[in-house]
Amino acid sequence: MDCSYKVKKGNRMKKDTYILGIESSCDETSSSIVKNGREVLSNVINSQIAIHEQFGGVVPEIASRNHIEAISHVVKESLKQANINIEEVDAISCTYGPGLVGALLVGVSYSKALSYALNKPLIATNHIHGHIAANYITHKELKPPFLCLIISGGHTHLVHIKDYTKFEILGKTRDDAVRRSI
């Protein structure tokens, strides 16, 4: 028996669902395999921090070029760490925004091509919604409603999570994240 068929639903066995997630919204190329929406089997990140440090911040064109160089390796490594092959993936998910346009184009284009080649569904994911959803992986007992403070790169949002897919932004910064002053 295939051990991935182990979730019982009613009188029948239900196959586990594996999602390949790809993130390239700024200066990190990352890929993860998530099982059944809550279990992270792998999380591979290729950081560009050292590259951009010399410029005092992220240079969009350099970020895009580095995503092109890293994306295939990162995806292959996430599959290897999760101990699954690409054919076992049920869907491909990628960040479609917000973020740097060139960086996003690399991840979206790669994901679309992979989805098409494998005949798998493509799931477009909002970067901010991804931060909210990450809470469900870290805190498996968490259920809406709750408040969520998101501080990430160029984004700060205070969000009322009404339901799993219903949010109300209570406040946000216009063009940068809140920073700690010393």
Side-chain angles (χ1 to χ4, degrees):
M1 179 175 166
D2 181 345
C3 65
S4 68
Y5 286 81
K6 63 182 184 182
V7 179
K8 188 165 182 171
K9 183 125 180 164
N11 291 331
R12 61 184 174 88
M13 298 298 273
K14 181 184 176 294
K15 180 184 177 296
D16 290 329
T17 301
Y18 297 97
I19 305 293
L20 166 63
I22 296 173
E23 209 293 313
S24 66
S25 64
C26 191
D27 63 334
E28 291 181 334
T29 312
S30 63
S31 176
S32 293
I33 303 295
V34 177
K35 178 180 170 184
N36 297 329
R38 297 270 178 141
E39 184 182 350
V40 178
L41 301 181
S42 66
N43 184 31
V44 178
I45 301 169
N46 180 3
S47 177
Q48 299 178 25
I49 290 174
I51 296 166
H52 296 284
E53 262 181 345
Q54 62 185 315
F55 303 107
V58 177
V59 178
E61 179 62 24
I62 293 172
S64 301
R65 291 174 190 234
N66 280 280
H67 284 304
I68 292 167
E69 292 176 13
I71 197 162
S72 288
H73 170 73
V74 169
V75 169
K76 288 176 185 172
E77 184 61 26
S78 70
L79 290 162
K80 180 180 172 185
Q81 286 184 17
N83 197 29
I84 68 168
N85 62 51
I86 194 71
E87 290 78 23
E88 293 176 86
V89 169
D90 295 292
I92 315 294
S93 176
C94 67
T95 305
Y96 73 88
L100 302 175
V101 173
L104 288 164
L105 280 171
V106 173
V108 169
S109 298
Y110 186 92
S111 300
K112 284 174 107 174
L114 199 57
S115 168
Y116 181 79
L118 297 170
N119 196 28
K120 306 280 183 173
L122 179 64
I123 304 165
T125 304
N126 179 288
H127 180 106
I128 302 302
H129 295 181
H131 283 293
I132 294 167
N135 288 293
Y136 300 121
I137 292 172
T138 304
H139 306 285
K140 294 189 183 347
E141 72 288 348
L142 183 64
K143 294 177 184 170
F146 60 91
L147 289 178
C148 185
L149 177 62
I150 303 162
I151 303 173
S152 167
H155 309 284
T156 299
H157 286 72
L158 180 59
V159 184
H160 176 208
I161 312 306
K162 296 179 176 189
D163 202 352
Y164 290 100
T165 59
K166 292 188 182 0
F167 319 119
E168 178 185 359
I169 297 172
L170 302 175
K172 66 180 182 175
T173 55
R174 285 183 171 202
D175 60 0
D176 205 357
V178 171
R179 298 183 196 279
R180 189 179 111 187
S181 62
I182 297 175

